[in-house]
Amino acid sequence: MTVSTAEMAQARVRADAEARAPLLEVAGLTRRYGARIGCADIGFDLWPGEVLGVVGESGSGKSTLLACLAGHLAPDAGRVLWRDRDGRARDVLAIPEPERRLLARTDWAFVRQNPRDGLRMGVSAGGNIGERLMAGGARHYGRIRGAAADWLARVEIDAGRIDDTPRAFSGGMQQRLQIARNLVSGPRLVLMDEPTGGLDVSVQARLLDLLRGLVREMGLSAIVVTHDLAVARLLAHRLMVMKDGRVVETGLTDQVLDDPQHAYTQLLVSSALRL
Amino acid sequence: MTRAVSERPAGAGMIAVRAVAKRFTLHNQGGAVIEALRGAALDVRAGECVALTGASGAGKSTLMRMIWGDYRIGAGSIRVAGVELAGADPRTVLALRRDRIGHVSQFLRVVPRVPARDVVAEPLLALGAPREAARARAEALLARLNIPPALWGLSPTTFSGGEQQRVNVARGFVHPFPVLLLDEPTASLDGANRATVLDLIREAKARGAAILGIFHDADARAQVCDRDVDVGAFRP
């Protein structure tokens, strides 16, 4: 098990280094709310194994951007190209709805700020994890339950809690369960909206550590929306700073935080309590 | 991507800095412009350790941060292992940091709660090393740097300044990076630990690493550095 995980990780590192094309290519993505701009003319590439942080204050458009990417909101303009497992570029906004839904249940994952929005609160922890596997076509009960137990362990939840519902879990445990539910299908892209948002600082650290390990071991690509620059620093390889619906600065995470160029980024960084 | 082996011009070092300038514009302080460096140039060849010297505020850290890719290069060229950093995209810088540039900074910045052994092993894990092998290598280095085994499983955020510094050193030396940037690697260390760090530097030189360091400790500098570059000469 350990060996195969390590071999898998090595294979992923090699594959990422040799990747010749981005996993996701976003261009001109725009969403308006009437006359108001949600997000405008957003463009970026996301490469395999890369974590992109999207930072900015409330109302900067970062959640609108994520919702457009996830298919929860229809953009007014723009293109999102997704490289599928066969290496074909697919226009995510143009593929038929059933296919997009299948994508959302298998290759893409979406971790919400509030675990109650991303979990089924009346269903057992094991059921929450197994449901996504079944949605992807798995039918063998023993294997589904085995995978659920395995994932509970990976997110550091006692296997004895497999039949409990998330209602009985702490906020930190609920968030870890939501992550397990999302990652069990082996997605290639994870979208996260303030994943550490509602958690105590000590719980945040544990979750950050967990996410970093999973990103590395599974070779995940991720887009993480956060207003917390400390979270962005520890999780993201690259940052995109948004203000009033537009990207004002982009670059390597520590470069953006340590040598910010745009007036707004300088203000954000200098306003942070401690980095 | 930019993995292709780049050609280094004859005579240029593993670190080659040419005509580098850096200024900071503080938009929220009336647009004040601070000229930090102009005409910076240096070379560090394989197997060589070069010290950046100059008064506090002369720009030693600024120059080192540009070579690490942490600060943008205002003008000029910085090549590390043949790869141009001026205007480089994040992927290029990250790829360099993964297997070619090791960095020992003055301050330890880690996720709270991650044990010291994993903090040190992380660069190896990022290269795809098996977890057990990476941990074993990390522990050997922590032992050599006198961090008691009882601390290996604890987060270094609770360690003393000297212990944190040694964790930082271990992290920088855990992989045989061909280029090493050392910002005050012996600053808060006592005699025995300082000697260990100087030994690590000598061993890295012997295996052919190109090392650029900032050492306020003149004796340490004299022991390991082949020559000095006075950053004061690059004042605008």
Side-chain angles (χ1 to χ4, degrees):
Chain A
M1 167 77 195
T2 319
V3 173
S4 71
T5 310
E7 281 170 357
M8 228 166 62
Q10 275 175 312
R12 291 300 287 256
V13 168
R14 271 197 304 274
D16 294 347
E18 287 156 14
R20 276 154 198 282
L23 194 62
L24 200 65
E25 291 172 71
V26 178
L29 203 67
T30 301
R31 164 77 194 200
R32 292 187 191 83
Y33 300 104
R36 202 164 57 78
I37 288 172
C39 64
D41 199 24
I42 310 293
F44 63 89
D45 290 348
L46 185 74
W47 289 78
E50 196 173 50
V51 178
L52 172 69
V54 183
V55 299
E57 294 168 309
S58 305
S60 61
K62 53 194 197 307
S63 293
T64 298
L65 167 63
L66 205 64
C68 286
L69 292 172
H72 301 164
L73 263 182
D76 298 314
R79 198 178 64 168
V80 179
L81 281 186
W82 162 253
R83 191 90 35 194
D84 70 15
R85 285 180 194 261
D86 300 322
R88 290 173 305 181
R90 311 293 309 273
D91 185 344
V92 177
L93 303 176
I95 60 177
E97 184 59 17
E99 202 180 331
R100 203 189 54 73
R101 281 177 181 276
L102 180 66
L103 195 63
R105 287 196 301 264
T106 53
D107 266 4
W108 288 33
F110 195 92
V111 176
R112 294 165 189 276
Q113 172 172 3
N114 188 337
R116 266 158 275 149
D117 297 334
L119 290 171
R120 296 230 287 156
M121 298 304 285
V123 172
S124 71
N128 262 287
I129 300 175
E131 192 177 52
R132 187 161 157 113
L133 283 178
M134 288 189 282
R139 289 291 173 265
H140 188 284
Y141 176 78
R143 273 201 288 273
I144 293 171
R145 192 166 169 90
D150 194 38
W151 266 96
L152 284 178
R154 289 185 74 168
V155 298
E156 304 169 24
I157 295 175
D158 182 1
R161 307 294 300 269
I162 192 166
D163 294 318
D164 294 354
T165 66
R167 283 203 189 94
F169 289 4
S170 68
M173 278 170 74
Q174 288 178 354
Q175 195 57 302
R176 296 203 301 279
L177 179 62
Q178 191 195 178
I179 287 165
R181 172 181 164 98
N182 270 283
L183 297 190
V184 67
S185 65
R188 296 162 68 218
L189 174 66
V190 186
L191 307 176
M192 295 188 237
D193 192 3
E194 304 277 6
T196 61
L199 303 174
D200 292 339
V201 176
S202 61
V203 179
Q204 272 191 22
R206 183 175 190 183
L207 193 72
L208 276 177
D209 176 32
L210 178 73
L211 284 173
R212 273 165 65 107
L214 291 171
V215 162
R216 187 179 58 221
E217 285 158 21
M218 299 176 72
L220 292 173
S221 303
I223 300 175
V224 183
V225 160
T226 178
H227 70 279
D228 186 333
L229 297 184
V231 167
R233 170 157 339 241
L234 291 171
L235 214 47
H237 298 122
R238 202 150 65 78
L239 287 188
M240 203 156 81
V241 184
M242 290 185 69
K243 181 184 186 332
D244 300 333
R246 294 174 191 277
V247 174
V248 296
E249 182 161 356
T250 169
L252 196 65
T253 296
D254 55 2
Q255 209 174 69
V256 170
L257 295 179
D258 294 337
D259 187 16
Q261 306 292 307
H262 191 278
Y264 178 69
T265 316
Q266 291 186 356
L267 185 66
L268 266 190
V269 170
S270 64
S271 308
L273 288 179
R274 187 165 165 267
L275 273 175
Chain B
M1 74 168 247
T2 33
R3 263 291 161 102
V5 181
S6 328
E7 291 295 317
R8 268 185 290 134
M14 281 294 279
I15 303 173
V17 177
R18 297 285 181 274
V20 163
K22 178 68 182 170
R23 63 162 66 169
F24 297 94
T25 306
L26 309 178
H27 293 291
N28 299 298
Q29 294 178 54
V33 174
I34 298 167
E35 299 271 356
L37 291 168
R38 189 184 298 160
L42 63 83
D43 280 282
V44 185
R45 290 175 184 81
E48 192 180 38
C49 181
V50 173
L52 291 179
T53 61
S56 202
K60 302 185 292 290
S61 290
T62 297
L63 182 54
M64 190 171 273
R65 279 168 167 249
M66 281 192 281
I67 299 169
W68 174 239
D70 188 10
Y71 281 1
R72 276 167 218 244
I73 298 161
S77 157
I78 295 180
R79 286 177 161 265
V80 176
V83 177
E84 178 61 62
L85 283 178
D89 65 26
R91 262 167 73 72
T92 303
V93 180
L94 290 171
L96 267 178
R97 289 181 183 178
R98 196 154 41 235
D99 57 7
R100 280 155 287 174
I101 317 181
H103 183 224
V104 176
S105 66
Q106 270 181 281
F107 306 102
L108 187 68
R109 189 177 260 141
V110 294
V111 181
R113 144 194 147 97
V114 177
R117 71 159 70 79
D118 289 349
V119 167
V120 175
E122 195 176 24
L124 296 176
L125 296 175
L127 282 163
R131 179 173 296 274
E132 293 316 311
R135 279 193 173 155
R137 167 97 182 111
E139 289 178 358
L141 212 45
L142 286 169
R144 193 168 166 201
L145 284 158
N146 264 324
I147 303 287
L151 297 185
W152 296 352
L154 304 179
S155 164
T157 47
T158 59
F159 291 7
S160 73
E163 286 161 350
Q164 290 195 358
Q165 179 69 341
R166 280 175 278 149
V167 169
N168 238 349
V169 168
R171 193 179 150 92
F173 283 84
V174 74
H175 175 71
F177 293 104
V179 174
L180 280 171
L181 304 175
L182 310 175
D183 193 352
E184 295 285 6
T186 60
S188 40
L189 303 185
D190 61 24
N193 289 317
R194 179 171 164 276
T196 306
V197 173
L198 295 179
D199 280 343
L200 285 171
I201 295 173
R202 286 189 197 97
E203 289 164 23
K205 284 172 69 177
R207 68 166 168 77
I211 305 174
L212 185 66
I214 300 172
F215 301 87
H216 278 125
D217 175 352
D219 177 62
R221 188 164 72 222
Q223 285 195 48
V224 294
C225 293
D226 301 292
R227 59 199 167 82
D228 295 351
V229 170
D230 180 5
V231 177
F234 311 139
R235 276 315 267 183

